[in-house]
Amino acid sequence: MEQQIKTTSEFLKIISDPQRLKILVFLQDSSRCVCKIFPSLGISQKLTSHHLSRLRDAGMVTQERRGNFMHYSINKKVIKKHLQLLNKSLQIK
């Protein structure tokens, strides 16, 4: 139970940043490169890349090189797993 709570806490810390949450919402429908993501966030490309790195390190997004560009996609399987853990931790009935 302790590890489950720790894992859920880390998940919540990562998505608690509004920009990271916006990135996840933005990637819901399709993969995109940083050049398409950062203008919608209103932050720099460098900061967007930083947020994407945090999400990637947590397994919440995947990346794929296409030519000169890195495309990011949401990892729905990992997100669903974290949401299930959260629900299980809280056991809301």
Side-chain angles (χ1 to χ4, degrees), residues 62-73:
T62 58
Q63 65 182 22
E64 174 187 354
R65 181 167 294 284
R66 296 184 194 164
N68 293 330
F69 299 98
M70 196 64 73
H71 283 253
Y72 294 87
S73 302

Side-chain angles (χ1 to χ4, degrees), residues 23-86:
I23 289 170
L24 291 174
V25 170
F26 192 67
L27 294 176
Q28 267 183 170
D29 299 324
S30 65
S31 67
R32 293 188 168 91
C33 68
V34 176
C35 63
K36 300 289 183 187
I37 299 170
F38 84 89
S40 70
L41 299 177
I43 59 175
S44 71
Q45 185 170 349
K46 184 176 180 177
L47 187 53
T48 301
S49 293
H50 168 74
H51 287 306
L52 283 163
S53 292
R54 292 287 312 272
L55 290 167
R56 187 193 68 236
D57 292 347
M60 293 181 215
V61 297
T62 58
Q63 65 182 22
E64 174 187 354
R65 181 167 294 284
R66 296 184 194 164
N68 293 330
F69 299 98
M70 196 64 73
H71 283 253
Y72 294 87
S73 302
I74 192 168
N75 188 340
K76 292 182 181 182
K77 185 176 180 178
V78 169
I79 300 292
K80 285 179 183 179
K81 178 186 153 211
H82 282 295
L83 292 174
Q84 288 169 344
L85 277 174
L86 175 62

